[in-house]
Amino acid sequence: MKLGSVELLRLKMPLVSPFRTSFGVQTGRDVLVVVAHTTDGVTGYGECVALADPVYNEEYVDGAAQVLARYLVPAVLAEPDLTAAKVADLTEGIVGHRMAKAALELAVLDAQLRTVGMSLTDYFGGVRERVDVGVSVGITETVEQLVDVVGEYRAQGYRRVKLKIQPGFDIAPVAAVREAFGSDLALQVDGNTAYRAKDLALLTELDAFGLLLIEQPFEHDAHGLHAELAARCITPICLDESLTTAANTAAAIRAGACSIVNIKAGRMGGYLEARRTHDVATALDTPVWCGGMLETGLGRAANLALASLPGFTLPGDISASERYYAEDITEPFLLVDGQVAVPQGPGLGVTVREDVLREVLTSRETVSA
Ligand code: OSB
Ligand code: MG
């Protein structure tokens, strides 16, 4: 396979409701989509999950677009016998920029699989046609509002709820949600690196609420602190921001810094590294689940394929399309009985709705060989 050109699209996608985390509030996404055109006329899509600003990790969408146009896309355009498995090697000389690399690798993989008529789930070795999903609930103005929002999602059938927490919005909201919905509700929390060493004792108070896990309370390189909290808590510690490769995931597990792994392909430089991360975590008897970055239907389709692998034993942040967008750029994903179906068609298995795309498109840049 050879690419003739790659387009970089930018889309303005308003969220149905603002999403507040410890690092800020998102009211919409500035989405970068990589479109790979093969010389045989096949098209592949890859969504970049970088946020508008470098507040979740060091990447941001303008930077991702620039590194793609200037370095990453030219490196793969030059390859006469391109496969997705070669993208990491071809772009190895560029340090970091994992979300940008992941988007390019996914576009190449989609084109490769559409060429041979294979689905992403079959390529990965997926074992389920539907996956259990949860919902990530942002920080609200009041605890009453939070209980209302959780109640709505629960009524829709989500199999677990993740609450975003930050210092000053943690014990009381978790207690209120547990009180309102009882011990049946599968509940977990995500601190997005907002806590510091002085908060260790406070975080151990979360043990009172029977949570599935505590996600990334401390900074990304704070393995020692995560290990200390893990030793002092019954609740499992899960890492997100810290884990950027299969190798550092294995090291974090061995160091006792986490006993559950959040896998996000963007954060790990691509779906192939994400798959390897699943494999090493599973070999270390560590459950994994699929995180989310408020993806459109393109990234959501890929996440569902990934989550069809056997080690994904906890519900993912792969909610129905309507939880994020009034109109998605692909056919919408629906919540049925707390699950979402894994696409079975070639590649990502979804179709871009050109009419919706036209409405949200803000710019288009073409990089040619
Ligand atoms: O920490 O998991 C996170 C969204 C943006 C950045 C970081 C995170 C999130 C989410 C969203 O929690 C989950 C979803 O896509 O539903
Ligand atoms: Mg997280």
Side-chain angles (χ1 to χ4, degrees):
M1 184 173 99
K2 179 155 180 23
L3 298 187
S5 66
V6 171
E7 287 177 280
L8 303 175
L9 313 183
R10 293 288 283 272
L11 320 178
K12 190 175 157 62
M13 300 277 293
L15 287 166
V16 292
S17 54
F19 184 63
R20 180 179 293 278
T21 60
S22 59
F23 57 72
V25 57
Q26 279 182 268
T27 55
R29 276 190 65 217
D30 177 353
V31 185
L32 168 61
V33 176
V34 177
V35 189
H37 297 283
T38 74
T39 51
D40 294 333
V42 177
T43 302
Y45 293 90
E47 175 172 352
C48 180
V49 298
L51 301 185
D53 302 304
V55 289
Y56 163 78
N57 66 3
E58 68 278 27
E59 293 189 75
Y60 62 105
V61 68
D62 286 335
Q66 190 168 91
V67 81
L68 276 158
R70 184 158 164 189
Y71 299 104
L72 305 177
V73 171
V76 302
L77 279 173
E79 171 58 45
D81 184 25
L82 183 63
T83 60
K86 289 187 182 176
V87 172
D89 282 350
L90 290 169
T91 59
E92 185 183 50
I94 302 304
V95 179
H97 294 283
R98 292 190 175 83
M99 290 174 170
K101 290 175 179 174
L104 180 59
E105 184 201 74
L106 183 58
V108 171
L109 183 55
D110 186 31
Q112 177 183 330
L113 295 180
R114 286 183 199 261
T115 300
V116 297
M118 180 187 273
S119 68
L120 200 54
T121 178
D122 285 347
Y123 175 83
F124 287 145
V127 295
R128 37 180 104 83
E129 294 185 357
R130 277 172 293 282
V131 302
D132 291 356
V133 301
V135 60
S136 176
V137 182
I139 292 165
T140 49
E141 288 292 327
T142 67
V143 168
E144 293 71 35
Q145 280 169 10
L146 183 69
V147 170
D148 286 348
V149 175
V150 171
E152 284 166 32
Y153 287 135
R154 207 161 126 83
Q156 291 168 21
Y158 284 104
R159 297 214 173 182
R160 68 97 175 110
V161 168
K162 161 167 136 181
L163 303 180
K164 290 291 188 178
I165 59 169
Q166 65 182 15
F169 190 88
D170 39 39
I171 307 298
V174 172
V177 168
R178 187 49 98 205
E179 167 79 22
F181 303 102
S183 56
D184 285 355
L185 176 68
L187 190 62
Q188 63 193 52
V189 296
D190 186 357
N192 286 111
T193 73
Y195 292 85
R196 298 294 175 264
K198 63 173 168 44
D199 302 313
L200 267 166
L202 174 106
L203 289 165
T204 62
E205 289 177 38
L206 290 168
D207 265 348
F209 306 109
L211 303 178
L212 285 174
L213 59 89
I214 301 171
E215 181 178 345
Q216 195 77 43
F218 303 116
E219 289 167 286
H220 78 275
D221 55 353
H223 279 5
L225 272 181
H226 284 115
E228 191 174 340
L229 181 63
R232 286 167 62 170
C233 268
I234 308 164
T235 312
I237 305 305
C238 169
L239 293 177
D240 172 357
E241 284 88 335
S242 296
L243 309 178
T244 54
T245 62
N248 76 15
T249 300
I253 295 168
R254 291 207 177 90
C258 69
S259 57
I260 296 181
V261 169
N262 169 324
I263 296 188
K264 288 181 185 170
R267 199 189 68 224
M268 311 196 111
Y271 283 84
L272 302 186
E273 187 70 7
R275 197 204 186 293
R276 286 189 285 273
T277 305
H278 158 277
D279 297 347
V280 298
T282 303
L284 293 168
D285 284 325
T286 303
V288 308
W289 57 282
C290 185
M293 295 291 287
L294 314 175
E295 287 88 349
T296 73
L298 292 173
R300 195 163 309 286
N303 286 347
L304 286 160
L306 186 67
S308 70
L309 284 165
F312 284 81
T313 53
L314 291 165
D317 279 345
I318 322 174
S319 309
S321 302
E322 64 166 21
R323 177 256 175 273
Y324 309 92
Y325 303 107
E327 275 215 282
D328 206 339
I329 55 169
T330 65
E331 52 275 50
F333 286 98
L334 308 176
L335 185 72
V336 179
D337 223 353
Q339 298 183 309
V340 176
V342 179
Q344 301 294 326
L348 293 174
V350 288
T351 311
V352 171
R353 296 161 66 188
E354 293 293 339
D355 54 331
V356 179
L357 190 69
R358 258 195 305 278
E359 301 263 300
V360 297
L361 188 69
T362 58
S363 74
R364 183 193 290 268
E365 177 184 359
T366 304
V367 188
S368 302

